[in-house]
Amino acid sequence: MHKRILTCPDDYQRLALRTLIKEQDTDTTMKMCALGLSGEVGEIIAIRLMGPDTVEQQKAKLYDEMGDLLWYAVIMGDCIGTSFHQLLDVSYDEIDRNFMTPEFLAVPIGRINDVIKKYSYHHNNEQRSFPVGIVEQNLAELIERISWIAHHSLRLTIMDIAEGNIEKLTQRHGESFKASYSSDSVKE
């Protein structure tokens, strides 16, 4: 296992935000996250259905993709003013544990995408406020599903997934990921 760098869930969100381009507006970021969530869940379902050759390869790929899914979720949470810690604490209707397979990650993502699609269309035609509560509820449900699947499929916690994703981001972005070099970051 790697050295822990996260002391709390919000550390992950803060570090993940370093990878965004600061010139990108919130609407664009929300749409990018909606597309990203859909793409990542598609990859997770593909792993489950057509997975790599071995169980270990499947687990490694699932771990990697769940980190990407978590990244999009916490970035979207930031867009609506909700921290990762708050998303972990949001109360929502009890999830039927019979439906906690990777395929069912698509349920809250579909709802989020539907809200963003409807808001984007109707917002141009009439003044409506963005339904933050609906997105927040579905992000919380998504994170709960990620956490449950991580625990039952990989024997990991949500913070293990976050740590692994930070490790990957550090490798991908190198020195530019460090706060002192992060000139394109949204927030510090």
Side-chain angles (χ1 to χ4, degrees):
M1 189 58 117
H2 50 271
K3 180 185 171 203
R4 290 245 177 235
I5 58 170
L6 303 177
T7 58
C8 68
D10 294 340
D11 284 349
Y12 173 70
Q13 188 172 34
R14 182 180 51 79
L15 291 172
L17 285 166
R18 287 186 186 169
T19 61
L20 284 180
I21 299 168
K22 65 181 169 184
E23 290 82 21
Q24 190 165 284
D25 63 72
T26 301
D27 283 348
T28 301
T29 301
M30 289 287 286
K31 290 172 186 171
M32 181 262 316
C33 287
L35 290 169
L37 288 169
S38 295
E40 296 303 333
V41 78
E43 289 186 45
I44 289 170
I45 291 168
I47 290 166
R48 179 159 164 89
L49 298 177
M50 303 173 285
D53 297 330
T54 68
V55 171
E56 287 308 311
Q57 288 174 326
Q58 188 174 20
K59 285 182 178 182
K61 189 69 176 150
L62 183 60
Y63 173 70
D64 189 49
E65 297 303 333
M66 287 182 71
D68 293 346
L69 193 62
L70 185 60
W71 184 90
Y72 285 111
V74 300
I75 297 299
M76 186 176 278
D78 182 73
C79 287
I80 62 169
T82 305
S83 70
F84 185 19
H85 178 80
Q86 289 170 314
L87 288 171
L88 291 169
D89 289 341
V90 169
S91 119
Y92 50 88
D93 294 333
E94 186 62 28
I95 298 171
D96 185 344
R97 299 294 183 217
N98 294 321
F99 296 106
M100 292 298 273
T101 63
E103 294 83 0
F104 284 92
L105 290 167
V107 173
I109 292 170
R111 288 189 215 124
I112 290 167
N113 286 347
D114 192 53
V115 165
I116 291 170
K117 173 193 72 174
K118 287 176 181 173
Y119 177 77
S120 294
Y121 174 75
H122 294 295
H123 183 67
N124 293 329
N125 298 320
E126 54 189 73
Q127 291 301 321
R128 298 175 89 176
S129 60
F130 186 79
V132 171
I134 295 170
V135 173
E136 184 179 70
Q137 289 283 112
N138 283 286
L139 284 173
E141 182 178 334
L142 174 62
I143 288 172
E144 170 65 15
R145 288 173 190 247
I146 293 169
S147 182
W148 195 93
I149 292 166
H151 176 74
H152 288 85
S153 296
L154 305 172
R155 301 291 182 237
L156 297 172
T157 67
I158 193 84
M159 291 306 290
D160 293 330
I161 298 293
E163 288 276 352
N165 193 248
I166 290 299
E167 203 170 273
K168 182 172 81 172
L169 290 171
T170 301
Q171 290 172 358
R172 181 181 298 156
H173 295 279
E175 288 295 310
S176 67
F177 188 67
K178 294 182 179 177
S180 59
Y181 298 103
S182 200
S183 62
D184 288 335
S185 67
V186 175
K187 294 182 181 178
E188 285 300 321

